[in-house]
Amino acid sequence: MKDERTLKKELEEFVPLNKQEEADKKLILKCLSKGDHIFFRENEEAHISASGWVVNQTMERVLMAYHNIYHSWAWTGGHADGEKDLLSVAMREAREETGIKTVTPVMNQIFSLEVLTVDGHEKKGLYVPSHLHLNVTYLLKGDDREEIRNKDDENSKVGWFSLKDCLEAVNEPWMKERIYKKLIEKMENLKI
């Protein structure tokens, strides 16, 4: 089981692709140095989250969910909720949000880093104030022949998209331009 020291080491060894990842790596490490509270969503200012960029067996398609809060197609992911093995969190969230059963890491290392703004919203009848997600992304592989289903309390649709079509489906300009295009570029540069 991974602990905070292991995650800190993985973050320190992560090689940023661009200025966004450089700046976000610095902020995530700074927040991590302030203690375990960063792993819990009860920290209302910022907390750790993990996402999965789930690709199919040939890495030509990506699995996305239509997120109810953002009203856009998005990757899978969620809060750490005290868990420090973020790869495990990303894999669990991919299964929970899409219904797929087979999810494996393409690689065990961190694939991407992002500090994401989350606007205030209602969840389960309670107001959640605006905050930051200190997000760690993993490249995961799923089987696009498996049955998929939505998770009603989080998303209203789930689907596989070609890499080009996923960009066309996303209607959050910043996520499309800064995050999803970056993830596709990183996939193209992989030497697996």
Side-chain angles (χ1 to χ4, degrees), residues 175-189:
M175 290 296 291
K176 179 191 299 193
E177 294 300 318
R178 293 294 187 136
I179 304 304
Y180 300 136
K181 280 186 177 180
K182 173 187 72 168
L183 296 174
I184 292 169
E185 179 184 346
K186 285 182 153 217
M187 283 178 54
E188 292 168 349
N189 294 333

Side-chain angles (χ1 to χ4, degrees), residues 151-165:
K151 185 174 185 239
D152 292 335
D153 65 332
E154 291 188 28
N155 61 58
S156 53
K157 297 180 251 181
V158 176
W160 287 97
F161 292 85
S162 72
L163 298 178
K164 177 182 171 243
D165 289 343

Side-chain angles (χ1 to χ4, degrees), residues 109-136:
Q109 298 87 359
I110 295 168
F111 186 57
S112 181
L113 293 176
E114 303 82 23
V115 174
L116 306 170
T117 57
V118 179
D119 291 339
H121 59 276
E122 296 274 339
K123 185 153 188 179
K124 297 180 182 174
L126 299 174
Y127 183 76
V128 178
S130 297
H131 59 280
L132 297 177
H133 278 182
L134 308 170
N135 195 65
V136 177

